[in-house]
């Protein structure tokens, strides 16, 4: 019975993550990382790394729908993607060098700053 409950938690977390990603165009990581860490017990570094693998297919599905509705600004997309690829490489290389407690605090600060920016 415990395994069924665990599977339900995983599917529910995926559903919420997909909804947030599709609705807001991003933000799935702000749901999936804490969800894996607090509700599923996934170690901090693995939660961050796994989130990227989860967000990629969600983003592809959302992008396809946005594309069909003609709401993607392609010249901006390509330029930001170039910087994002470089930033993603650097961030992935740095991930294992940052202690878990600092990673958690840094992620929390980032989420707070992003929330404040959205509100004000």
């Amino acid at each position: 019975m415990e395994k069924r409950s665990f599977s339900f938690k995983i599917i529910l977390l995926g559903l919420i993550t997909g909804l947030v990603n599709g609705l807001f165009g991003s933000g799935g990581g702000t749901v999936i990382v804490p969800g894996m860490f607090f509700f599923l017990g996934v170690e901090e570094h693995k939660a961050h790394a796994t989130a990227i693998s989860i967000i990629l297919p969600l983003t592809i599905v959302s992008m396809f729908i946005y594309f069909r509705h003609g709401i993607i600004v392609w010249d901006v997309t390509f330029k930001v993607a170039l910087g994002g690829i470089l930033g993603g490489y650097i961030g992935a290389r740095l991930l294992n060098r940052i202690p878990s407690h600092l990673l958690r605090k840094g992620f929390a600060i980032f989420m707070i700053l992003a929330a404040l920016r959205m509100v004000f």
Side-chain angles (χ1 to χ4, degrees), residues 7 9 27 52 58 79 88 94-97 99:
S7 295
K9 285 180 184 178
I52 298 301
L58 302 176
K79 291 172 185 171
L94 290 174
L95 179 66
N96 285 331
R97 296 179 181 185

Side-chain angles (χ1 to χ4, degrees), residues 44 48 102-115:
E44 189 86 24
H48 283 270
L102 292 179
L103 185 62
R104 185 172 34 257
K105 287 179 183 171
F107 187 65
I109 290 168
F110 174 78
M111 287 181 19
I112 291 167
L113 291 174

Side-chain angles (χ1 to χ4, degrees), residues 4-84:
R4 181 177 293 174
S5 174
F6 187 72
S7 295
F8 177 75
K9 285 180 184 178
I10 293 172
I11 292 169
L12 182 61
L13 182 59
L15 178 68
I16 294 167
T17 301
L19 181 65
V20 169
N21 191 69
L23 186 61
F24 299 122
S26 71
T30 60
V31 172
I32 198 72
V33 171
M36 284 191 293
F37 180 73
F38 291 113
F39 299 120
L40 303 180
V42 176
E43 188 267 323
E44 189 86 24
H45 287 85
K46 289 182 180 181
H48 283 270
T50 303
I52 298 301
S53 301
I54 293 167
I55 293 168
L56 178 62
L58 302 176
T59 302
I60 290 170
V61 169
S62 297
M63 187 207 64
F64 177 72
I65 293 169
Y66 297 154
F67 173 76
R68 287 188 55 196
H69 288 99
I71 56 175
I72 297 174
V73 182
W74 288 107
D75 61 326
V76 173
T77 299
F78 293 124
K79 291 172 185 171
V80 173
L82 284 174

